[in-house]
Amino acid sequence: MANIKLTNINKSYGSHHIIKDVSLDIKSGEFIVFVGPSGCGKSTLLRSISGLDQVSSGTMEIDNAVVNDVPPSKRGIAMVFQSYALYPHMSVFENIGFALENQGLPRAEIKKKVEAVGEMLQLTTYLTRLPKALSGGQRQRVAIGRAIVRGAKVFLFDEPLSNLDAALRVQMRMEIAKLKRDLPNTTMVYVTHDQVEAMTMADRIVVLQAGRVMQVGTPMELYENPNSVFVAGFIGSPKMNFITGKPADKLKAKTIGVRPEHFEFSKTATDISGTLDYTEVLGSDSFLYVSTPTGMLTVREPGRTQYKTGQKLHLKPIAEHVHRFGPDDNRL
Amino acid sequence: MTAQILYAFFTVLLGVGGCFGYFYGSNWLLDRTFPANANNDASAVRNLRIQANIRPWLFLGPALLLLSVYLIFPVIQTVYLSFHDRAGDKYVGLANYKWAFYDDQFRLSIFNNILWLAVVPALCTLMGLIIAVLTDRLWWGNLAKSLIFMPLAISFVGASVIWKFVYDYRGEGQQQIGILNAIVTYFGGDPQVWIALPFWNNFFLMAILVWIQTGFATVILAAALRGIPEDTLEAATIDGAGPFKIFFRIMVPQIYGTILVVWTTITVLVLKIFDIVLTMTNSQWDTSVLANLMFDWMFRGGGDFGRGAAIAIVIMVAVLPIMIWNIRQANAEQKGH
């Protein structure tokens, strides 16, 4: 059990201010996902928690103890790297057991623990192999095994799935979710740029942009009540539509945001009329790309669509699902 | 002077032109003899296959020929000489090798060579590794590496002349100008004739080669260290390994292949060591090594082609396996990346 508390954390490399005054309260046993575009500082923030990077100012607490000056190995954390960071010259067994060896555990105990973890991750038959003789998914599992075996209170994941192909990514996503279920007391912090991973795995999501926390909340909170244009645009796929001009003025907003599924079609002309440019039919849904005077809008229709390319469409946002944003791009 | 420059110019012109002419001409001849646009498809295919089989040999031919004349033939000739008497006329069987086996000077040279082999490659590689690690994280590390690399550009003879001053000894009553004696006398010791101290003088000569070759080891190993994925080191940090454990358990095993290549490259060099001994001591005071012994028997006072050749063969047989292993290892390294 370990909570993590960040208070006014700043991090600069020379003149580059990467993390700007981040404060965050991560509860014990929570699965937190840091999400944001590349360069937003999410990995740096994770590395600051791990201790691999020193913070420039602010306090970092793990399990109610300030850890600013505590070395990574003493923070009770384990980390899974994007590249897996397996030791190429060591067998799977040695890779998983290295941390235990450093703790000075007797051989027999290391063997017992590594084999238990190997079994848990279906690696038993691979324990004598070198990492280069494993598939991507197996390597990922070894990296996770290395974290589990230490019994760390906090797991840090740095984009662990971005090197895997799409099918394997979905599978590993489920395995990590299952791992979280099996280790309910372990706090997990997970960094990704993929909002689908964030939405599907997180208890709470932290959206970062340019080193600042934009919003913290459960996936549905962020989806339903984004507090800024940035969060609204980042969470959800396809992206939320942003409309300015007359339809926004009418609602006393600078910008209004409407998700693709929150449009109705009208028989008569509306504020938002345009021609259907292009359709993507996925079977379960269809995406209609409508070119309007305020720009290209995406509309989601369940199942197949009856509309033809080139057809004139009149769109009407469903009033209760319209997000209003002011001139500062914040929610009104 | 002008004539010489002109000669050089025409030689280059003739050489390059000749090469060009040969490759172009032989290729043209091949194309003409086995035309690819033959009357029917079957013979065109056949001709193309013949062309592909012959062309490499045409292009490699001159190089192979020169290599045979200047490398393979001398080896055969040396083997031949080693089984003949001092003038190279009469077959004497293994007599020259037998002589070497019982000769004190030969035994001393072998012993010295083994000393060199034990000390120089190990010391160069070790110091290269330490310097590479230490300079990796410093902003002036590259400058330091360049300075350490510089002696590699100096010829062995040049380096020996420099080090002669380091070990210089002046007779009693004269001012000592060698830095080593200067240091010794500063601390109250007596000046020594360093290069004439039997046994220890070997190490003073080795210091010169270490000074030259450490830069080579440093540069190669530094590049290998850069190739170690940073996150394996970070993972080890999180796994609780200290700096020494990270160095020996994570870094060194990952560049093990490169360390061996550096080690064996220097080993081959050391087996052939000649210039430093010749320049510094001329094999006196028990510093003789095989190459110098060979030189003495072959071209100097010895005047015995048979014995000189036998020593040369001993050196070659010693170098060959290391050389082959080294080339294989280097190829394997390149394939790995």
Side-chain angles (χ1 to χ4, degrees):
Chain A
M1 297 292 272
N3 62 332
I4 305 171
K5 194 167 178 209
L6 283 67
T7 316
N8 306 113
I9 294 289
N10 280 282
K11 171 76 190 170
S12 305
Y13 287 108
S15 60
H16 294 284
H17 199 173
I18 311 285
I19 304 287
K20 293 166 190 155
D21 210 31
V22 169
S23 294
L24 211 57
D25 223 333
I26 300 171
K27 290 195 282 287
S28 217
E30 217 175 1
F31 197 117
I32 286 277
V33 175
F34 292 171
V35 71
S38 40
C40 71
K42 54 192 189 299
S43 279
T44 308
L45 197 55
L46 190 81
R47 290 171 60 85
S48 304
I49 297 175
S50 75
L52 289 172
D53 282 352
Q54 292 278 311
V55 295
S56 306
S57 69
T59 20
M60 178 80 65
E61 288 166 68
I62 297 178
D63 212 3
N64 301 317
V66 177
V67 294
N68 282 33
D69 298 319
V70 177
S73 59
K74 300 271 157 60
R75 291 191 180 195
I77 51 116
M79 190 149 165
V80 176
F81 293 82
Q82 177 175 359
S83 61
Y84 323 126
L86 302 181
Y87 312 125
H89 55 289
M90 292 189 195
S91 68
V92 171
F93 184 97
E94 290 168 311
N95 260 286
I96 297 175
F98 189 60
L100 302 179
E101 184 195 316
N102 291 328
Q103 290 167 13
L105 257 57
R107 245 162 223 276
E109 201 171 331
I110 293 177
K111 191 166 181 313
K112 213 173 77 188
K113 285 193 172 186
V114 172
E115 279 170 0
V117 168
E119 196 160 328
M120 180 175 169
L121 296 169
Q122 294 138 45
L123 288 167
T124 310
T125 48
Y126 305 107
L127 285 178
T128 54
R129 286 205 197 167
L130 288 178
K132 66 178 176 206
L134 300 177
S135 70
Q138 288 163 343
R139 285 179 204 184
Q140 186 63 73
R141 273 199 222 115
V142 176
I144 291 171
R146 219 162 47 174
I148 295 172
V149 81
R150 301 177 46 203
K153 298 173 287 185
V154 177
F155 279 16
L156 306 174
F157 294 92
D158 190 4
E159 309 217 16
L161 305 185
S162 48
N163 285 352
L164 301 176
D165 62 54
L168 205 51
R169 205 177 303 162
V170 174
Q171 190 199 331
M172 288 307 293
R173 209 160 72 199
M174 289 195 299
E175 281 187 33
I176 292 176
K178 185 171 156 287
L179 179 73
K180 181 72 199 77
R181 240 187 8 251
D182 294 343
L183 303 168
N185 293 333
T186 309
T187 311
M188 297 194 181
V189 184
Y190 187 106
V191 163
T192 180
H193 60 265
D194 180 353
Q195 57 96 17
V196 177
E197 274 174 35
M199 293 292 284
T200 52
M201 301 168 84
D203 291 329
R204 284 196 300 158
I205 297 175
V206 177
V207 183
L208 289 151
Q209 190 206 8
R212 280 182 211 288
V213 173
M214 301 303 287
Q215 193 171 0
V216 184
T218 65
M220 283 337 274
E221 270 169 21
L222 296 192
Y223 191 78
E224 283 163 1
N225 293 307
N227 65 3
S228 63
V229 169
F230 176 77
V231 176
F234 196 78
I235 301 287
S237 173
K239 247 177 98 155
M240 184 187 275
N241 297 294
F242 295 108
I243 301 162
T244 50
K246 209 171 129 208
D249 294 343
K250 258 212 259 177
L251 293 166
K252 298 197 183 63
K254 167 88 193 314
T255 313
I256 57 167
V258 185
R259 295 217 179 267
E261 62 268 36
H262 294 151
F263 280 112
E264 286 175 333
F265 296 101
S266 168
K267 291 259 185 309
T268 54
T270 59
D271 292 338
I272 313 166
S273 295
T275 46
L276 180 55
D277 244 16
Y278 180 65
T279 15
E280 287 176 345
V281 183
L282 301 177
S284 56
D285 328 77
S286 302
F287 297 120
L288 313 182
Y289 296 93
V290 184
S291 138
T292 70
T294 55
M296 183 72 85
L297 300 180
T298 316
V299 181
R300 170 188 266 148
E301 250 201 304
R304 293 191 194 183
T305 181
Q306 66 206 27
Y307 302 111
K308 300 266 181 301
T309 308
Q311 196 176 343
K312 193 91 175 157
L313 292 177
H314 309 295
L315 302 173
K316 210 173 90 186
I318 300 169
E320 64 202 89
H321 289 305
V322 172
H323 305 271
R324 294 163 61 240
F325 300 101
D328 56 356
D329 282 350
N330 284 336
R331 185 178 197 85
L332 288 172
Chain B
M1 180 68 184
T2 330
Q4 276 173 326
I5 291 173
L6 272 176
Y7 272 134
F9 181 74
F10 281 116
T11 311
V12 169
L13 211 64
L14 213 68
V16 175
C19 286
F20 187 78
Y22 168 77
F23 288 121
Y24 188 86
S26 62
N27 198 39
W28 179 81
L29 211 66
L30 184 68
D31 284 344
R32 276 300 284 269
T33 323
F34 301 101
N37 53 354
N39 299 331
N40 58 66
D41 287 350
S43 62
V45 168
R46 193 178 53 99
N47 281 351
L48 272 174
R49 199 166 45 233
I50 293 171
Q51 271 187 27
N53 282 334
I54 294 179
R55 189 171 288 118
W57 292 105
L58 278 182
F59 287 5
L60 275 174
L64 283 178
L65 190 74
L66 288 175
L67 215 62
S68 315
V69 171
Y70 288 101
L71 211 68
I72 313 278
F73 171 70
V75 170
I76 295 166
Q77 180 67 13
T78 307
V79 172
Y80 172 88
L81 280 176
S82 75
F83 290 114
H84 288 75
D85 69 349
R86 52 183 303 136
D89 318 316
K90 218 177 92 212
Y91 179 75
V92 293
L94 289 171
N96 287 322
Y97 292 96
K98 211 152 118 198
W99 157 80
F101 191 77
Y102 290 110
D103 184 60
D104 284 343
Q105 200 64 27
F106 182 85
R107 286 179 171 189
L108 176 75
S109 301
I110 286 264
F111 173 73
N112 285 344
N113 257 123
I114 291 170
L115 265 189
W116 279 76
L117 282 177
V119 175
V120 176
L123 212 58
C124 286
T125 312
L126 186 73
M127 282 182 33
L129 191 57
I130 291 170
I131 293 166
V133 172
L134 293 182
T135 53
D136 196 33
R137 314 261 151 152
L138 296 171
W139 64 266
W140 51 273
N142 277 335
L143 182 74
K145 264 184 282 185
S146 308
L147 287 175
I148 292 163
F149 189 70
M150 247 178 226
L152 203 61
I154 303 172
S155 75
F156 286 7
V157 174
S160 301
V161 170
I162 294 170
W163 280 79
K164 263 201 159 154
F165 285 110
V166 172
Y167 297 139
D168 193 85
Y169 171 81
R170 293 291 156 102
E172 236 167 293
Q174 290 182 57
Q175 178 95 36
Q176 294 299 336
I177 65 154
I179 188 160
L180 196 56
N181 274 329
I183 292 168
V184 167
T185 47
Y186 176 83
F187 285 108
D190 288 328
Q192 301 283 336
V193 194
W194 301 107
I195 57 169
L197 293 174
F199 185 67
W200 300 111
N201 51 7
N202 280 309
F203 296 95
F204 295 124
L205 302 196
M206 289 176 207
I208 302 170
L209 192 55
V210 171
W211 179 70
I212 294 172
Q213 284 298 319
T214 296
F216 163 76
T218 305
V219 169
I220 306 282
L221 292 171
L225 284 174
R226 287 268 161 86
I228 297 177
E230 184 75 11
D231 44 19
T232 60
L233 308 181
E234 292 181 339
T237 309
I238 290 181
D239 273 347
F244 283 99
K245 192 144 197 190
I246 290 179
F247 180 72
F248 287 110
R249 289 289 308 277
I250 307 295
M251 290 169 90
V252 169
Q254 290 195 62
I255 59 165
Y256 189 62
T258 310
I259 291 176
L260 283 181
V261 167
V262 168
W263 189 298
T264 48
T265 304
I266 299 174
T267 299
V268 170
L269 186 83
V270 167
L271 270 169
K272 300 182 298 182
I273 190 66
F274 170 75
D275 335 32
I276 291 175
V277 176
L278 185 79
T279 318
M280 291 297 286
T281 62
N282 196 9
S283 299
Q284 298 174 88
W285 308 294
D286 295 352
T287 55
S288 176
V289 290
L290 285 178
N292 293 76
L293 190 65
M294 173 198 77
F295 185 68
D296 285 350
W297 277 107
M298 202 95 175
F299 305 111
R300 280 173 151 189
D304 189 325
F305 277 30
R307 289 180 178 179
I311 299 166
I313 294 298
V314 169
I315 299 174
M316 195 188 79
V317 168
V319 172
L320 216 54
I322 306 168
M323 199 85 175
I324 290 168
W325 188 88
N326 178 291
I327 291 167
R328 283 206 177 152
Q329 190 69 26
N331 283 342
E333 276 291 290
Q334 273 169 3
K335 259 179 219 147
H337 288 288

